[in-house]
Amino acid sequence: MIPPASMTASRHIAIREAWLDQVREPILDPGLPIIDPHHHIWDQADQRYLLPELLADTGTGHDIRATVFIQCASQYDMAETPERRPLGETRFMTRIAEAAEGGKTRACAGIVGIVDLTLGDRVTPLLEEHVAIAGGRFRGVRNRTAWDASPLVRSNLESPPPGPLPLPAFREGARRLAAMGLTLDVWAYHPQLPQVLEVARAVPELTIIVDHCGGPIGVGPYKHAEVWAPWHATIQALATCPNVVMKLGGIAMEVGGYGFHEQPLPPTSETLAAAWRPTIEACIEAFGAERCMFESNFPVDKGMCSYPVLWNAFKRLAAGASESERTALFSGTAARVYRLTI
């Protein structure tokens, strides 16, 4: 008997390989080149997801040419001062990238780290250190920004304070980020999207990547039917900012409220595509394929679905797109935004 899902120490749904193995599918369009622009690497007390685990997933049949690592408070250098500790994460991911060079999948070909953008004058030299450490792979930063007043809405055990998106110091740091040609990934829940919109308008020279479809919440006080209208309206407003790009994915997190991990069998790609179609299609309609990119958000989303099934679902969702649109959604947008080649 497969045990029910539980939450890990990082408030992610526990990965159950035996449960996931109950659904196996032929790979759809296996020759379609893909850049996975959003995954994590970590070695936690209750979950290990390092290069072997990543390559095991990317090697399941889809043509994953390259990946982008997104910060996740992993491998910090705790001997350093707080603002310098994330340099350890960039250093470790650079070693991961070097180890993957020459393989079928260029893992961590792009690295998005973390530098506290509210640090003022200290932002630029810290960014310069990350760039130097990464050996040409550092592409941008992501700060901890996802927050909601409800204690039932959490992506991590510890929630950051309500800032820093509205803070003037954050916008000043964002301007310095843009001046260096780096990007900003933003993970925010849907009630925070107006704050993201304000940052996008205040710093139009900065490329902002909105993670996980803008974080529509489906747990706690939030219901999918009630969330749709405010989420959709802000997504359309964000799309009017030419400096904003959307990541399509991250919907299999616990906060999304779909609950596939609570079922006896994992979802098929048809099930995922049917459930996610309104959200994904609304994002593509608003931003256009040239400003959207599919993402895995693994291993976080692996609590609800397997890697091959996830990308099959995305391919089903893009079945009606033109060839150029499919290229953009699966590799082109990510290659342009994160300056990658495949």
Side-chain angles (χ1 to χ4, degrees):
M1 180 177 179
I2 297 172
S6 61
M7 303 302 290
T8 73
S10 297
R11 197 172 172 80
H12 301 141
I13 301 166
I15 295 171
R16 296 167 293 159
E17 297 283 1
W19 180 74
L20 293 172
D21 284 344
Q22 295 179 99
V23 170
R24 292 180 177 270
E25 301 180 348
I27 302 300
L28 302 178
D29 196 2
L32 177 66
I34 296 172
I35 293 176
D36 183 347
H38 195 113
H39 71 84
H40 308 294
I41 293 282
W42 56 47
D43 191 0
Q44 300 173 344
D46 54 358
Q47 187 182 96
R48 178 186 178 94
Y49 200 80
L50 298 172
L51 182 60
E53 289 78 18
L54 173 64
L55 294 182
D57 281 332
T58 61
T60 48
H62 295 284
D63 189 9
I64 312 296
R65 302 288 183 87
T67 75
V68 179
F69 165 80
I70 306 296
Q71 66 79 215
C72 55
S74 176
Q75 306 295 325
Y76 277 13
D77 186 349
M78 300 309 292
E80 287 278 12
T81 57
E83 65 266 23
R84 294 178 58 81
R85 288 173 185 170
L87 289 166
E89 182 175 66
T90 296
R91 188 174 294 111
F92 184 83
M93 300 312 155
T94 300
R95 292 198 294 269
I96 292 280
E98 291 170 347
E101 284 291 346
K104 179 181 180 293
T105 299
R106 292 169 49 234
C108 303
I111 295 173
V112 173
I114 181 170
V115 173
D116 182 355
L117 294 181
T118 67
L119 286 174
D121 293 342
R122 288 177 289 170
V123 168
T124 299
L126 274 174
L127 289 171
E128 290 172 345
E129 286 195 66
H130 282 274
V131 169
I133 287 170
R137 299 178 183 87
F138 198 75
R139 295 293 182 263
V141 306
R142 185 175 77 160
N143 281 191
R144 294 189 65 190
T145 50
W147 182 87
D148 192 81
S150 171
L152 299 175
V153 179
R154 294 288 183 268
S155 303
N156 298 284
L157 286 179
E158 295 181 3
S159 177
L165 288 170
L167 301 178
F170 182 87
R171 298 181 188 184
E172 182 56 36
R175 293 186 183 95
R176 295 170 186 246
L177 189 67
M180 292 183 62
L182 299 172
T183 62
L184 176 66
D185 266 75
V186 176
W187 167 215
Y189 300 130
H190 77 269
Q192 296 177 280
L193 291 181
Q195 298 175 2
V196 181
L197 179 61
E198 291 176 3
V199 174
R201 289 172 172 169
V203 194
E205 68 273 25
L206 174 66
T207 296
I208 297 175
I209 302 105
V210 176
D211 295 345
H212 313 330
C213 296
I217 308 173
V219 298
Y222 300 98
K223 309 302 178 186
H224 286 149
E226 300 168 1
V227 161
W228 173 264
W231 169 83
H232 189 220
T234 319
I235 289 298
Q236 291 179 310
L238 278 168
T240 66
C241 299
N243 58 321
V244 178
V245 179
M246 177 64 69
K247 279 182 177 173
L248 308 175
I251 320 176
M253 288 186 289
E254 186 265 347
V255 292
Y258 287 96
F260 294 120
H261 60 296
E262 298 170 350
Q263 302 303 314
L265 295 175
T268 65
S269 60
E270 290 178 318
T271 299
L272 294 176
W276 297 345
R277 187 174 299 281
T279 300
I280 297 294
E281 289 188 346
C283 288
I284 296 175
E285 181 180 349
F287 283 86
E290 294 294 329
R291 292 166 60 200
C292 289
M293 60 182 104
F294 285 116
E295 53 155 337
S296 75
N297 192 37
F298 263 45
V300 181
D301 283 26
K302 194 173 182 178
M304 280 201 194
C305 59
S306 70
Y307 201 84
V309 167
L310 178 71
W311 286 100
N312 269 357
F314 291 156
K315 289 176 179 180
R316 291 184 186 280
L317 288 165
S322 68
E323 182 177 351
S324 63
E325 289 170 335
R326 282 169 62 81
T327 297
L329 291 167
F330 287 95
S331 62
T333 302
R336 184 185 74 253
V337 170
Y338 288 118
R339 294 178 283 121
L340 301 175
T341 57
I342 60 173

